[in-house]
Structures are given as C-alpha cells and as structure tokens.
Amino acid sequence: MSLPELEDPFEQFGKWYAEVRGEPAITEPTAMCVATAGTDGLPAARMVLLKAWDRDGFVFYTNYESDKGRDLLANPQAALLFYWMPLGRQVRVQGRVEQVTAEEADAYFGSRARDSQIGAWASRQSRPMTGRYDLEKRVAEFAIRFNVGRVPRPDYWSGFRVVPQRMEFWQEGRFRLHQRLVYLKDGDGWTRQWLFP
C-alpha cells in the first residue's frame, strides 16, 4: 500500500481517518496516545479518545486537575499518536496546546451519557483513593445531587486542542522498509519531507 503525497496534512489525515472508520477490524478508531511533560520534564503517556478535529487541531476532554491536565496547563505542548494496526498505519502529531472554549466544552459535555456526566463530578482523577468504594460512594452522592434535571459541566472539566506544528504519516512496508512523510508548519502553509524508515 502506497502513501499518497498530498499537499496538506489535514487532507491526508481526513483520507486515512475515513478509511479507518470504515475498517471493521478497528474497534476504536478515535483512540490516540497523548504524551505530555510536566515542569520537571518527565514525560507521561496515556490513551484518550479524539472527540473533534479540524484545521485548528485535535481535541480531547479531561479533568484539568488530572495528571495530564496539570501537565498541559503548566507546559502547553503535547504529542499525539494514532496507531491503526490492521492497516499498518500511524500518525504522529506534535504541537502547542490550547484550551477549548467554554461553549465547546459545554456542548460536548451535554452530549455525553448522563452516567458519564456524573462520573466527571465523582472522579477525583489521578488522586489516590483507598479502594473502589470511594469512587462508588462519590458516584452515588452525585447521582442524588443531580437526581433530576440537567447535569452541569464541572468548572475543572474541559478540553484541550493540540495545534499541530509537525505531522508525520507512517505506512508499514515489507521488511521494515516503511514509508514516512512528515509535514512541518511553515508560516501559513506546510513543507513536506520524506524520511528514511
């Protein structure tokens, strides 16, 4: 399978993403690894789900008091990795990070299942607990608190947008002779460069 050399990395991502979403063997096409580093420079990586993307960047949501939230508020740079194994493809994205607007966060939060909304209130994400009962107790407390009506978005829960400065497309090749095409932000446009595998 050959990697087409499109002028724009977002066109390339859109083409691959559409193909991935139509591939039955890929059960979660939105899964991506997010890598951050805190002020101490120590890197951390975890899997999250892509919730939106366009030419402005790639969006995911989290508790801003979580490890990744604190990392990104202190050091607003991140790397993303999509790995779609059945198609032998990966996409790497590196760039600065910005917070989504309150309107964007409210709209996405409002689209979530009610139990997920309550979970956002109940989870003290990344902080210690003595056992599973701590979480279950908090879920019950917030379920009672928001027994009827709309569940509001917590102030500490919102989204981040990774604004790409570098995007690399990798297509698996036989005998590890992979294809690698990198796009680098250059003013208002992009430059392209093929890389050795």
Side-chain angles (χ1 to χ4, degrees):
M1 192 174 295
S2 181
L3 199 163
E5 191 174 355
L6 298 176
E7 295 286 334
D8 185 323
F10 292 106
E11 288 181 29
Q12 179 62 57
F13 184 84
K15 182 178 186 310
W16 274 14
Y17 192 58
E19 291 173 8
V20 164
R21 290 177 69 87
E23 175 56 55
I26 299 175
T27 57
E28 190 48 80
T30 65
M32 61 183 184
C33 179
V34 176
T36 62
T39 54
D40 60 2
L42 186 66
R46 75 288 282 162
M47 300 300 293
V48 301
L49 300 180
L50 175 69
K51 292 302 177 182
W53 74 275
D54 58 23
R55 291 183 177 279
D56 293 328
F58 299 85
V59 176
F60 64 94
Y61 290 86
T62 190
N63 183 324
Y64 276 11
E65 296 173 357
S66 67
D67 287 346
K68 64 182 168 297
R70 289 194 307 269
D71 280 357
L72 291 170
L73 291 172
N75 179 14
Q77 302 177 85
L80 307 176
L81 174 64
F82 297 88
Y83 180 46
W84 299 309
M85 179 185 259
L87 297 178
R89 293 176 178 169
Q90 61 180 325
V91 180
R92 296 172 58 199
V93 178
Q94 294 168 276
R96 64 181 174 81
V97 174
E98 61 187 30
Q99 297 175 50
V100 303
T101 66
E103 292 76 19
E104 288 175 286
D106 287 342
Y108 174 66
F109 190 80
S111 75
R112 301 179 92 204
R114 186 177 182 83
D115 286 348
S116 294
Q117 293 174 338
I118 289 170
W121 282 92
S123 177
R124 302 180 74 235
Q125 195 172 339
S126 301
R127 283 169 275 185
M129 63 180 187
T130 56
R132 182 76 182 174
Y133 176 73
D134 290 353
L135 176 61
E136 292 170 353
K137 180 181 173 187
R138 286 180 60 83
V139 168
E141 288 170 359
F142 283 102
I144 292 168
R145 178 175 169 183
F146 300 118
N147 184 34
V148 293
R150 184 180 73 84
V151 179
R153 177 177 62 87
D155 291 340
Y156 53 79
W157 191 98
S158 192
F160 289 108
R161 176 178 288 104
V162 179
V163 181
Q165 301 299 305
R166 182 183 193 277
M167 294 176 67
E168 180 184 326
F169 295 85
W170 179 94
Q171 176 68 62
E172 184 178 22
R174 295 183 65 203
F175 309 112
R176 294 187 171 82
L177 299 178
H178 313 305
Q179 298 174 63
R180 294 177 65 190
L181 180 61
V182 65
Y183 294 79
L184 300 170
K185 189 68 176 159
D186 184 14
D188 292 334
W190 295 86
T191 59
R192 291 171 299 164
Q193 178 66 64
W194 288 99
L195 303 178
F196 279 100

